[in-house]
């Protein structure tokens, strides 16, 4: 299922990119006035304007995705460290249990020997 989803997303992505490229190429010859904040140009190619807008939007999306990747990487590292700590504490607890079991066995042997030596003959 994951492969089918990835394939579908890839195909849709290619369609969107091709549509954007087609829109840019078809509107290269159209001239429009542009205003951006206090900056104004009387005639700019609409295709160029669309290309710049697409690059700016793509850059913004890329930076947001990079932020998400860094966040996920940090969470993965924290989870990995937490699992290592739990594993170490589990091993420590297991070794303490083994030590206590051996002490109990030693005490049981000593008790049984003491009981055998105190039995009347």
């Amino acid at each position: 299922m994951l492969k089918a989803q990835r394939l579908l997303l890839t195909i849709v992505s290619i369609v969107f990119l091709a549509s954007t490229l087609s829109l840019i190429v078809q509107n290269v010859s159209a001239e429009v006035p542009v205003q951006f904040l206090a900056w104004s140009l009387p005639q700019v190619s609409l295709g160029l304007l669309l290309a710049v807008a697409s690059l700016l939007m793509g850059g913004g999306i890329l930076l947001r995705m990079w932020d998400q990747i860094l966040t996920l990487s940090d969470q993965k590292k924290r989870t990995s460290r937490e699992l290592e700590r739990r594993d170490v504490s589990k091993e420590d607890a297991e070794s303490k249990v083994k030590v206590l079991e051996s002490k109990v066995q030693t005490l049981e042997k000593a008790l049984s020997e003491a009981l055998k030596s105190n039995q009347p003959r």
Side-chain angles (χ1 to χ4, degrees), residues 42-89:
Q43 296 294 318
V44 175
S45 168
L46 181 58
L48 179 63
L49 184 63
L50 290 171
V52 170
S54 297
L55 289 174
L56 290 174
M57 188 172 290
I61 291 170
L62 182 66
L63 290 174
R64 183 68 180 124
M65 287 176 49
W66 190 12
D67 177 53
Q68 287 295 323
I69 289 171
L70 291 175
T71 302
L72 289 174
S73 174
D74 186 46
Q75 288 176 352
K76 181 181 174 185
K77 287 178 186 176
R78 273 192 262 136
T79 303
S80 176
R81 285 193 297 266
E82 181 63 29
L83 288 174
E84 286 175 6
R85 281 190 213 116
R86 286 182 185 177
D87 192 37
V88 167
S89 65

Side-chain angles (χ1 to χ4, degrees), residues 27-28 30-34 39-49:
N27 288 292
V28 166
E31 299 286 327
V32 293
V34 174
W39 181 57
S40 178
L41 289 174
Q43 296 294 318
V44 175
S45 168
L46 181 58
L48 179 63
L49 184 63

Side-chain angles (χ1 to χ4, degrees), residues 83-110:
L83 288 174
E84 286 175 6
R85 281 190 213 116
R86 286 182 185 177
D87 192 37
V88 167
S89 65
K90 179 182 173 188
E91 290 174 0
D92 188 38
E94 288 175 350
S95 67
K96 287 180 181 179
V97 167
K98 287 180 182 178
V99 168
L100 289 174
E101 285 176 346
S102 67
K103 286 182 180 180
V104 167
Q105 287 175 355
T106 304
L107 289 173
E108 285 175 345
K109 286 181 184 177

